[in-house]
Amino acid sequence: MDEFQLIEKYFNCNEIHRRDVKLGIGDDAAIVKVPQGFELVTTVDTLVEGIHFLKNTPAEYLAQRILTVNLSDIASMGAKPCWMTLAVTLPKVQTKWLNQFSKVFFKLAKQHQIQLIGGNVSRGPLTFTLNAFGLVPKGTALKRSGAKNRDLVCVTGALGDSALALAGLTKKIKLPRSSQAKLRAQYFAPQAQIAAGLILRHYANACIDISDGLIQDLQHLLDASGKGAKLYLSKIPLSRFIRQILDKQQALGYALNGGEDYQLLFTVAAKKIAALEKKLKFYVIGQIDQTKRLKLVDENEEIIQLNKKGYKHF
């Protein structure tokens, strides 16, 4: 099977045919139409075997993961996903593997109504590069730089499960059999918070997705906004799985530094909290201030020192 046959069989099988795609797969480049009154949001991520995912990860998990990490970036901007391109490097052609990957990839794409409009296939170490595009009404995109003094710092869900699952998969910790399936799903098949992002566009002042760890990603937001914050450790949401398996200090370590939760971290004015609570489930975990320092605070309002690490690519 040559490159063009492979593309036709496994990647040109869209069930989605958006009206704003003027020319999709099959030409030198794609043509899309950006509607009047909207702006284009775009992001790109690369996943490399052995660096960003474990060797022998099942194809269906990789399909979900490569799409989700990009959709999460789109969500953090308050945008609606529309189009994507995908470049895949394969060590060899394995029809069963490609069937599994393609089936799950396009199922998730259909769920979010995002159309694959082009890409590339080549031979080499297993690598995926996906470029996603979304649309947002002009002037309404969420950014890291919008946090205001006295904003409340919030997250959309529990943190640390993905990092705990990875620790189990790499034999750094032994997970109870009863928790393994749920935790591995959190790592292999995270859920992009698209619906939350569309709601937050009307309420939040700043937003970022949690991919590198709560501490590191909150620091990115603070640096972009020129602000500081108090982070209340007692208010960080932890799942029942992580609370059952680890002690409090260990659980906080995973939640603060683990990353790959793909929840949204955002700031919102206190006066908007009540209205937002009617639209979205979230957790208030801190408050923005003007100190330009991130302070970790315990239940007694005392500042404590914890390891402030997160994922770094280099």
Side-chain angles (χ1 to χ4, degrees), residues 152-169:
L152 298 178
V153 179
C154 310
V155 290
T156 53
L159 306 177
D161 284 0
S162 180
L164 178 59
L166 180 59
L169 289 164

Side-chain angles (χ1 to χ4, degrees), residues 170-187:
T170 54
K171 310 299 183 184
K172 293 179 180 178
I173 192 170
K174 186 175 182 179
L175 298 177
R177 187 177 296 275
S178 60
S179 303
Q180 288 179 6
K182 177 65 176 179
L183 288 171
R184 286 179 180 180
Q186 290 291 101
Y187 174 74

Side-chain angles (χ1 to χ4, degrees), residues 1-14 25-26 102 106 121:
M1 185 181 299
D2 65 25
E3 173 189 355
F4 303 104
Q5 291 171 321
L6 190 153
I7 291 171
E8 185 63 29
K9 183 174 177 64
Y10 299 108
F11 295 101
N12 194 15
C13 44
N14 278 315
I25 295 172
S102 180
F106 285 106
V121 175

Side-chain angles (χ1 to χ4, degrees), residues 123-247:
R123 184 183 297 274
L126 187 59
T127 305
F128 305 88
T129 298
L130 191 141
N131 191 188
F133 304 83
L135 293 173
V136 63
K138 283 186 177 179
T140 67
L142 293 169
K143 294 178 282 188
R144 301 178 181 185
S145 57
K148 302 182 186 303
N149 190 38
R150 301 191 67 79
D151 272 3
L152 298 178
V153 179
C154 310
V155 290
T156 53
L159 306 177
D161 284 0
S162 180
L164 178 59
L166 180 59
L169 289 164
T170 54
K171 310 299 183 184
K172 293 179 180 178
I173 192 170
K174 186 175 182 179
L175 298 177
R177 187 177 296 275
S178 60
S179 303
Q180 288 179 6
K182 177 65 176 179
L183 288 171
R184 286 179 180 180
Q186 290 291 101
Y187 174 74
F188 283 123
Q191 301 295 313
Q193 302 298 311
I194 297 293
L198 295 177
I199 293 170
L200 289 173
R201 193 173 70 206
H202 302 285
Y203 295 91
N205 289 325
C207 190
I208 187 173
D209 77 320
I210 301 176
S211 55
D212 296 332
L214 174 60
I215 292 291
Q216 187 159 291
D217 288 319
L218 177 54
Q219 190 64 62
H220 291 326
L221 186 150
L222 296 176
D223 290 343
S225 296
K227 302 295 183 189
K230 284 185 179 180
L231 185 63
Y232 300 108
L233 299 180
S234 62
K235 294 186 177 182
I236 292 173
L238 303 170
S239 74
R240 65 181 177 87
F241 300 102
I242 202 168
R243 286 186 279 110
Q244 288 172 351
I245 296 167
L246 303 175
D247 65 35

Side-chain angles (χ1 to χ4, degrees), residues 33-280:
K33 181 180 180 181
V34 178
Q36 188 172 0
F38 285 79
E39 293 174 323
L40 186 66
V41 174
T42 183
T43 183
V44 63
D45 268 294
T46 295
L47 300 185
V48 181
E49 185 179 51
I51 303 295
H52 303 103
F53 60 90
L54 301 173
K55 291 190 175 185
N56 301 316
T57 296
E60 56 267 33
Y61 285 141
L62 290 176
Q64 177 130 353
R65 194 165 182 78
I66 183 58
L67 189 45
T68 296
V69 297
N70 283 269
L71 290 175
S72 186
D73 285 335
I74 296 292
S76 72
M77 306 295 287
K80 188 172 184 178
C82 297
W83 321 294
M84 58 183 165
T85 61
L86 176 66
V88 182
T89 304
L90 300 169
K92 58 184 177 181
V93 175
Q94 295 177 294
T95 56
K96 183 179 179 180
W97 190 98
L98 284 164
N99 272 320
Q100 291 174 321
F101 181 92
S102 180
K103 181 180 178 181
V104 174
F105 184 84
F106 285 106
K107 180 180 179 180
L108 185 60
K110 185 178 181 180
Q111 177 185 329
H112 291 287
Q113 288 297 295
I114 181 170
Q115 183 175 338
L116 183 66
I117 58 173
N120 185 64
V121 175
S122 59
R123 184 183 297 274
L126 187 59
T127 305
F128 305 88
T129 298
L130 191 141
N131 191 188
F133 304 83
L135 293 173
V136 63
K138 283 186 177 179
T140 67
L142 293 169
K143 294 178 282 188
R144 301 178 181 185
S145 57
K148 302 182 186 303
N149 190 38
R150 301 191 67 79
D151 272 3
L152 298 178
V153 179
C154 310
V155 290
T156 53
L159 306 177
D161 284 0
S162 180
L164 178 59
L166 180 59
L169 289 164
T170 54
K171 310 299 183 184
K172 293 179 180 178
I173 192 170
K174 186 175 182 179
L175 298 177
R177 187 177 296 275
S178 60
S179 303
Q180 288 179 6
K182 177 65 176 179
L183 288 171
R184 286 179 180 180
Q186 290 291 101
Y187 174 74
F188 283 123
Q191 301 295 313
Q193 302 298 311
I194 297 293
L198 295 177
I199 293 170
L200 289 173
R201 193 173 70 206
H202 302 285
Y203 295 91
N205 289 325
C207 190
I208 187 173
D209 77 320
I210 301 176
S211 55
D212 296 332
L214 174 60
I215 292 291
Q216 187 159 291
D217 288 319
L218 177 54
Q219 190 64 62
H220 291 326
L221 186 150
L222 296 176
D223 290 343
S225 296
K227 302 295 183 189
K230 284 185 179 180
L231 185 63
Y232 300 108
L233 299 180
S234 62
K235 294 186 177 182
I236 292 173
L238 303 170
S239 74
R240 65 181 177 87
F241 300 102
I242 202 168
R243 286 186 279 110
Q244 288 172 351
I245 296 167
L246 303 175
D247 65 35
K248 185 177 180 180
Q249 192 77 357
Q250 288 175 315
L252 275 174
Y254 280 101
L256 292 172
N257 302 317
E260 296 189 314
D261 292 299
Y262 298 106
Q263 298 291 341
L264 297 183
L265 169 66
F266 61 95
T267 77
V268 62
K271 65 182 180 181
K272 293 183 178 181
I273 286 290
L276 181 56
E277 285 176 333
K278 296 177 181 178
K279 304 278 188 179
L280 181 68

